[in-house]
Amino acid sequence: MSVTGKHFGLLAAIGSATLLLSAFAFQSFGYAPCAMCIWQRYPHGIAVAIGVLLLTGVPTLLLLTAGAAAALTTAGIGFFHTGVERGWWEGPTSCTGSGLDISNLSGADLLPTAASGPSTLVMCDEVAWEFLSLSMASWNAIFSLAIAVLWALAAYKHLVARSRIAQSNP
């Protein structure tokens, strides 16, 4: 049995599922995700769904291209998030410290009440965990780029196989 483009696509989808499950594992260990971390999860979910669709009769090249686009999207968000964490550029004001003007807020606005419980706001420009000087966003970007290469290889193998079939059946 030869390895086909569909096999590489399934492997890439499994890679996205692994990264998605890893993100949820970190969350279960107490590392709450910021907004940009959540954004990085959506394309992985789409890639996993595409992997499931590969097992059906949906046109393979379309799925492989969509899988590559999903992996590149999450890699792009991860690289952008890394730049925000390292201060290379500003991130969204909704999850970074750059957009809050506290000069117009009262003391009651700044302090959570006892009824509201502890604050769950996680800032996108703060690194919660890192390994080898790379944050979770950085690792997601690197692994997602590798997964995008797998999707692209899958599409290439599919095109080559389709070309061979077309040449043998003139």
Side-chain angles (χ1 to χ4, degrees):
M1 177 175 119
S2 68
V3 179
T4 65
K6 189 178 281 192
H7 291 117
F8 277 106
L10 290 171
L11 183 62
I14 290 169
S16 278
T18 302
L19 288 178
L20 197 54
L21 289 173
S22 298
F24 286 118
F26 270 97
Q27 190 172 342
S28 73
F29 294 139
Y31 295 99
C34 70
M36 291 178 75
C37 293
I38 299 294
W39 298 346
Q40 291 172 73
R41 294 179 186 186
Y42 292 121
H44 284 303
I46 292 168
V48 170
I50 291 169
V52 171
L53 288 174
L54 278 173
L55 299 173
T56 68
V58 179
T60 304
L61 186 59
L62 175 66
L63 291 175
L64 298 175
T65 304
L72 284 173
T73 299
T74 192
I77 296 169
F79 281 120
F80 179 73
H81 191 181
T82 296
V84 170
E85 290 173 334
R86 295 187 181 271
W88 296 339
W89 44 73
E90 286 189 27
T93 56
S94 61
C95 67
T96 61
S98 62
L100 182 61
D101 179 16
I102 62 171
S103 62
N104 295 327
L105 298 177
S106 69
D109 292 331
L110 294 172
L111 298 174
T113 64
S116 70
S119 174
T120 58
L121 178 65
V122 178
M123 303 302 284
C124 295
D125 55 357
E126 295 177 6
V127 176
W129 178 90
E130 66 181 14
F131 177 69
L132 299 176
S133 299
L134 296 174
S135 68
M136 285 186 270
S138 301
W139 285 111
N140 178 65
I142 292 166
F143 288 132
S144 296
L145 197 56
I147 290 170
V149 169
L150 270 178
W151 282 110
L153 181 60
Y156 172 76
K157 285 195 69 74
H158 178 74
L159 286 172
V160 167
R162 200 161 71 177
S163 173
R164 286 185 184 144
I165 291 170
Q167 288 175 355
S168 66
N169 296 327

